[in-house]
Amino acid sequence: MDTTKLGAQANIRYLDGDFEVIKPGTHVLCAVTGDVISLEDLKYWSVDRQEAYRDAIISFEASKRDR
């Protein structure tokens, strides 16, 4: 993602299979890595932890930390 055109960070409520934008923005941050995830590319999150993840591997690793 081209971070030179980065807008505001969105505030998101993560739901099952969807998310709700609470505060508009262009992106969120990965809860594990801090990487920027554009809302267009947001595919992985935890409803229970209300966190976004960059990819499936990071999502899986985050789920293991709760065990």
Side-chain angles (χ1 to χ4, degrees):
M1 173 178 213
D2 182 5
T3 58
T4 60
K5 298 179 184 177
L6 200 57
Q9 183 174 332
N11 186 348
I12 303 292
R13 185 171 141 219
Y14 300 101
L15 309 169
D16 289 325
D18 201 3
F19 57 86
E20 176 184 2
V21 177
I22 305 299
K23 178 185 145 215
T26 60
H27 68 282
V28 294
L29 300 179
C30 175
V32 176
T33 66
D35 291 342
V36 172
I37 307 165
S38 73
L39 294 188
E40 296 170 350
D41 295 332
L42 180 58
K43 297 177 186 160
Y44 304 98
W45 60 80
S46 168
V47 174
D48 294 335
R49 291 185 300 279
Q50 291 293 294
E51 296 178 336
Y53 307 111
R54 182 184 70 205
D55 58 36
I57 295 169
I58 291 172
S59 174
F60 177 70
E61 292 299 320
S63 72
K64 291 191 323 187
R65 71 180 179 209
D66 287 343
R67 294 181 188 178

